[in-house]
Amino acid sequence: MKKIIVGPLTRANNSSSVEVTVEDKRVVDARCSGIFFRGFELILRGRDPRDASYLTERICGICSAAHGTAASFALEDAAGVRPPRNGNLLRNLILGADFLQSHIRHFYLYSLLDYVRGPNQRPFIPGYTKGYRLHGKVNEAMVEHYFQAVEISRLTHKLLTLLGGKAPHNHGLLAGGSTVSPAADILMDFGSKLRKIIDFIKNIMVPDTLTLAEAYPDYYEIGCRAPNLLEFGLFPRSEDDNERSFPGGVIIDGHPQKLDSSAIREHLKYSWFTGNSEPRHPSRGRTEPDREKEGAYSWAKAPRYGGKPMEGGPLARLWIRGDYRKGISTMDRIVARAMEAEMIGKSMEGWVEELQPGAPVFNAFNVPREAEGAGLTGAMRGPLGHWLRIEKGRIAHYEIITPTTWNFSPRDDTGQLGPVEEALIGTPIEDENEPVEIGRVVRAFDVCSSCSVHLIVPGTPVKETIIVP
Ligand code: NI
């Protein structure tokens, strides 16, 4: 029996790690740890509710538009307001641009190097020395595409900047709609950049995922877990939000069900938070850190739906919508993400067409003195929820459950494993000294990779504060 700890999982920062126990060349136990404290819930207390969309975007550098969206939805729910048609379309386009950025970076910068041998120089070395199955020109082409992906992902940020002002942490999203009504030349520029990105996804990224799937077909049998899937719904189709392009829903043991967000509970037994005696709904959740807590091993809480550990992400979304129901495995997760990127790009082209020049983008509203609201959206890695309570016009309670908290959660109060932990059990490990298989399984979930904030104090070297996704 051997224990192996793999981290940093994100290649970018050490905010998460996984500890597995290997026996007879198979994973028999797994523990996922978020090893830094986030605490945005505490930062938000006492603030103006309108600040939440901008502050929570700072949770993350790669999925920031999703937090801005969830925070906007939560305040709109509390205030009883919705954006005008153009405002809804612009928000979809801003979030869509961030999705394309994230999905492209996930595949090329995050996942690919577990399968493809990089150039023999830093930052590609030191790396694993075996387990690579692509050779010669095929491997070379993948590496070439890796570098193209860096350029294309920069273009996705330019896309976001055109409507959001800056990237990451855009200023275009807010409760009530969007901040800027774009001029025709901006939309033309947006359209031409979007076409280049779609070309790359369609002609390079999707074929590359299929090349991997062909070379590593055993990964359709690795990283499997029971079909328990959750999605809150992504991209409101209209300003009324009565339908979403990717609908919310639940799959429980393979059976589709209607989403009922009141079935969510947060378990704290194995998390470094003062324990609830009973698991609570996030609208009544508590965030009181306790680093010394006996038995705990993560800063992530353990959210459960109807008592079940639920997986979110592109595979869950496509499964719920009925577009992809092949399997629940490492390779299915990778292929579904590329498919989803192509679908979102296509939808975005339609939304640009639907924009009406000069029409309003924002509906003004009054912040209520006392109210509650929930902001539920699909995010890049799965369901994202913000729960808000306003008292005397200020934020009295805020609770955030990120997709990575669902996927990467620790055990719950009943001892059930989190989804990534479940997926790791049974993974074959060929060589315990080079356990490349673990990274492949975990990274297919796209553990939120850039949830870090850099703090600069004038006159001192740059320090990095890392925040749990
Ligand atoms: Ni994130």
Side-chain angles (χ1 to χ4, degrees):
M1 195 165 94
K2 185 170 179 168
K3 273 192 197 288
I4 303 172
I5 297 175
V6 177
L9 288 169
T10 61
R11 302 192 197 280
N13 63 47
N14 201 9
S15 62
S16 49
S17 74
V18 52
E19 181 188 306
V20 301
T21 307
V22 178
E23 224 177 78
D24 297 330
K25 291 189 175 266
R26 291 217 171 246
V27 173
V28 293
D29 194 17
R31 278 168 182 253
C32 292
S33 298
I35 48 186
F36 284 86
F37 176 55
R38 187 185 64 205
F40 265 69
E41 285 87 350
L42 307 182
I43 295 170
L44 286 161
R45 275 185 208 156
R47 302 265 185 176
D48 187 311
R50 288 166 295 193
D51 289 346
S53 67
Y54 298 114
L55 291 175
T56 59
E57 278 194 44
R58 269 78 186 168
I59 289 172
C60 182
I62 199 158
C63 67
S64 54
H67 285 289
T69 302
S72 302
F73 286 177
L75 179 52
E76 285 172 356
D77 187 35
V81 68
R82 279 293 300 166
R85 189 182 142 87
N86 263 18
N88 183 57
L89 290 167
L90 285 167
R91 288 204 308 211
N92 283 355
L93 285 166
I94 290 170
L95 180 57
D98 226 11
F99 257 81
L100 299 185
Q101 169 267 122
S102 182
H103 281 6
I104 291 169
R105 286 185 182 170
H106 171 267
F107 180 64
Y108 284 101
L109 308 189
Y110 193 39
S111 267
L112 193 74
L113 294 172
D114 286 329
Y115 303 89
V116 166
R117 194 189 294 272
N120 196 26
Q121 62 188 62
R122 285 181 182 278
F124 302 99
I125 51 170
Y128 290 115
T129 61
K130 49 186 139 177
Y132 300 115
R133 301 184 200 161
L134 300 174
H135 300 288
K137 286 208 163 17
V138 182
N139 195 83
E140 269 171 42
M142 290 284 209
V143 172
E144 173 62 29
H145 298 164
Y146 174 98
F147 289 107
Q148 282 179 27
V150 175
E151 291 301 316
I152 290 289
S153 81
R154 188 160 68 182
L155 200 60
T156 58
H157 260 176
K158 285 185 176 168
L159 202 62
L160 177 58
T161 305
L162 283 172
L163 301 181
K166 65 192 269 289
H169 313 143
N170 78 85
H171 291 167
L173 286 169
L174 78 171
S178 181
T179 47
V180 179
S181 180
D185 59 326
I186 298 276
L187 290 180
M188 274 180 63
D189 193 9
F190 190 94
S192 85
K193 286 185 168 62
L194 178 58
R195 268 191 299 281
K196 275 189 203 153
I197 295 162
I198 293 174
D199 278 352
F200 177 83
I201 293 169
K202 199 173 157 190
N203 300 318
I204 296 182
M205 181 168 155
V206 170
D208 280 353
T209 60
L210 300 178
T211 302
L212 274 200
E214 235 171 70
Y216 294 86
D218 39 335
Y219 278 83
Y220 282 113
E221 309 294 328
I222 294 172
C224 300
R225 60 181 292 279
N228 291 314
L229 310 169
L230 173 69
E231 168 58 28
F232 287 157
L234 172 61
F235 302 127
R237 275 188 185 275
S238 74
E239 57 274 30
D240 308 326
D241 194 15
N242 41 26
E243 201 190 338
R244 296 197 181 177
S245 298
F246 293 85
V250 188
I251 307 275
I252 305 234
D253 296 325
H255 303 293
Q257 290 185 13
K258 263 187 89 164
L259 173 71
D260 171 14
S261 65
S262 71
I264 297 169
R265 292 289 180 278
E266 293 182 293
H267 297 233
L268 299 183
K269 186 172 176 187
Y270 292 94
S271 312
W272 284 307
F273 295 98
T274 307
N276 294 336
S277 48
E278 288 284 303
R280 291 192 192 182
H281 187 265
S283 62
R284 295 288 174 272
R286 284 167 65 186
T287 301
E288 284 168 41
D290 177 9
R291 182 63 183 84
E292 304 304 317
K293 186 169 157 184
E294 193 81 21
Y297 62 93
S298 182
W299 281 114
K301 298 176 182 179
R304 296 291 184 262
Y305 181 94
K308 295 235 179 227
M310 305 297 271
E311 170 177 350
L315 178 61
R317 254 189 305 269
L318 297 199
W319 195 288
I320 287 165
R321 203 168 79 158
D323 294 310
Y324 185 100
R325 291 190 174 169
K326 195 171 163 193
I328 309 278
S329 70
T330 295
M331 200 51 77
D332 289 305
R333 292 182 186 102
I334 291 174
V335 171
R337 188 170 289 105
M339 284 174 62
E340 183 179 80
E342 194 179 346
M343 290 172 183
I344 291 174
K346 225 170 153 187
S347 297
M348 288 170 70
E349 283 191 312
W351 297 330
V352 175
E353 292 291 313
E354 282 179 49
L355 279 169
Q356 291 166 338
V361 298
F362 176 75
N363 278 337
F365 65 95
N366 292 321
V367 174
R369 293 285 297 164
E370 316 282 326
E372 287 194 50
L376 306 180
T377 179
M380 297 70 168
R381 293 150 187 83
L384 171 64
H386 285 202
W387 285 266
L388 159 74
R389 188 167 70 249
I390 304 171
E391 289 172 9
K392 296 182 184 143
R394 311 296 279 189
I395 295 173
H397 172 81
Y398 210 96
E399 188 76 5
I400 300 160
I401 305 182
T402 66
T404 298
T405 311
W406 284 100
N407 292 334
F408 208 67
S409 72
R411 284 152 172 73
D412 59 34
D413 291 7
T414 66
Q416 283 185 109
L417 276 57
V420 175
E421 293 176 340
E422 287 179 333
L424 278 164
I425 303 290
T427 300
I429 307 293
E430 178 105 6
D431 178 352
E432 289 172 0
N433 298 313
E434 294 206 28
V436 62
E437 299 89 347
I438 298 169
R440 286 174 183 162
V441 171
V442 177
R443 291 196 180 100
F445 283 88
D446 194 5
V447 179
C448 187
S449 58
S450 292
C451 282
S452 71
V453 175
H454 300 261
L455 296 180
I456 298 171
V457 180
T460 59
V462 173
K463 264 190 176 176
E464 193 182 41
T465 304
I466 301 168
I467 287 163
V468 177

